[in-house]
Amino acid sequence: MISDNGKGMALYSRLHFGLGIYTIKQIAKSYKAKLSIKSSKKGTAIHFVFPLLEIGRPSKEEIQKEVLERMQD
């Protein structure tokens, strides 16, 4: 979590943001992470939750593909 106790982001800034928030959203999307951005007059909090990855473990998509292939045999 990243947070500050500044003045928060104005509604216009939240709707028409620059590259910073756009980049954060793209990173979260590419890693399939959950992203929460909350802002008020007391500050802003950005919270990421990344999924755990286990090296060598097949992905959900790989498992689904294997199951479908086995069903076709």
Side-chain angles (χ1 to χ4, degrees):
M1 178 191 295
I2 302 166
S3 63
D4 68 24
N5 59 355
K7 62 180 181 176
M9 295 187 302
L11 178 59
Y12 179 81
S13 295
R14 285 183 260 164
L15 298 175
H16 304 281
F17 45 83
L19 289 178
I21 293 178
Y22 174 80
T23 302
I24 289 171
K25 287 182 176 187
Q26 291 304 108
I27 291 169
K29 183 178 177 181
S30 68
Y31 283 97
K32 298 180 181 173
K34 294 180 182 177
L35 172 65
S36 170
I37 301 174
K38 295 181 181 177
S39 186
S40 71
K41 293 179 181 179
K42 296 180 181 180
T44 300
I46 300 172
H47 189 232
F48 279 103
V49 178
F50 289 91
L52 291 176
L53 300 175
E54 293 182 35
I55 297 173
R57 182 177 180 177
S59 68
K60 179 181 174 183
E61 291 79 15
E62 291 170 327
I63 294 169
Q64 288 174 337
K65 181 180 176 184
E66 184 179 335
V67 168
L68 290 173
E69 287 173 354
R70 288 183 181 189
M71 290 174 62
Q72 292 175 355
D73 291 340

